[in-house]
Amino acid sequence: MELDAMLRTWTATASALAVLAFATPALAQGSSSDASNGNERVNQVIVYGDDPCPASAGDEITVCARKPESERYRIPEPLRGIDRPTSEAWSNKVMAYETVGRFGTDSCSPVGAGGFTGCTQAMIQRARAERANGTDVKFGELIQKEREKRLSTIDATAADEQASVEVEERAYEARRKAQDAAAQGTTKAP
């Protein structure tokens, strides 16, 4: 009897995990920059030499990073072979000694209960450090500059539009007063 209940529980848990495993990629696809910025799409392009940058269309922001023509067919800089020094700095060795004896929760250690829990955080911190110190194109900064450029033109466009609306309103009021005066003049004449 207990075995049957355990099998049902295990089956329900396995099916729930399977549903989550297949649903996660679909959720990840929707969480691009479209979700964080409304309906705006960002097209990131690297152009070489004097190649033209593709024009933006509609709500799409096109950000071009220009590199010299000599870089067109080369291996990207982050992937090129980097000669590493054969000797390691003493400070790096000392950093390794600081982690000796660290185990347990959030330690990213194979020792102790919950030692694995810090590995994801360590991986995220390494990735952030690589991104911050990377020599590759920083599209985030280029996108922000493009947004600021677009937002700077919105105020001028809005002011022009407001001025034209006010001119139209004054002309409409003048026509309406003239029509009212004409209508009162025709009713007083008889």
Side-chain angles (χ1 to χ4, degrees), residues 40-75:
E40 161 183 292
R41 286 185 41 215
V42 178
N43 183 17
Q44 302 172 359
V45 181
I46 297 176
V47 293
Y48 296 94
D50 295 330
D51 293 348
C53 182
S56 299
D59 290 339
E60 178 183 64
I61 293 178
T62 301
V63 179
C64 294
R66 189 166 299 280
K67 289 196 171 189
E69 184 65 34
S70 61
E71 293 288 317
R72 184 180 299 263
Y73 299 108
R74 295 204 55 199
I75 295 173

Side-chain angles (χ1 to χ4, degrees), residues 9-25:
T9 304
W10 184 82
T11 306
T13 305
S15 63
L17 288 174
V19 167
L20 285 175
F22 287 113
T24 302

Side-chain angles (χ1 to χ4, degrees), residues 14-181:
S15 63
L17 288 174
V19 167
L20 285 175
F22 287 113
T24 302
L27 292 174
Q29 290 174 357
S31 66
S32 66
S33 61
D34 294 347
S36 63
N37 299 325
N39 293 330
E40 161 183 292
R41 286 185 41 215
V42 178
N43 183 17
Q44 302 172 359
V45 181
I46 297 176
V47 293
Y48 296 94
D50 295 330
D51 293 348
C53 182
S56 299
D59 290 339
E60 178 183 64
I61 293 178
T62 301
V63 179
C64 294
R66 189 166 299 280
K67 289 196 171 189
E69 184 65 34
S70 61
E71 293 288 317
R72 184 180 299 263
Y73 299 108
R74 295 204 55 199
I75 295 173
E77 281 186 44
L79 300 178
R80 293 179 193 161
I82 299 172
D83 296 335
R84 301 205 178 214
T86 56
S87 61
E88 186 176 357
W90 182 250
S91 61
N92 293 342
K93 292 178 183 178
V94 171
M95 290 285 265
Y97 288 125
E98 287 180 0
T99 60
V100 171
R102 247 191 208 172
F103 59 90
T105 305
D106 287 339
S107 67
C108 190
S109 164
V111 179
F116 66 92
T117 55
C119 294
T120 303
Q121 189 63 30
M123 180 182 64
I124 290 170
Q125 289 171 349
R126 279 194 308 269
R128 284 185 179 154
E130 286 176 7
R131 184 181 302 151
N133 297 324
T135 59
D136 203 14
V137 177
K138 295 184 180 180
F139 277 108
E141 293 172 4
L142 294 173
I143 291 169
Q144 186 61 32
K145 287 178 185 175
E146 183 67 25
R147 280 195 187 117
E148 289 171 1
K149 186 171 83 174
R150 283 186 175 208
L151 290 176
S152 68
T153 62
I154 288 175
D155 291 336
T157 305
D160 292 343
E161 189 68 27
Q162 182 65 29
S164 67
V165 166
E166 289 174 359
V167 167
E168 286 294 321
E169 285 177 348
R170 285 193 289 270
Y172 173 75
E173 285 296 321
R175 284 193 307 265
R176 201 175 109 231
K177 285 181 183 178
Q179 289 174 351
D180 288 345

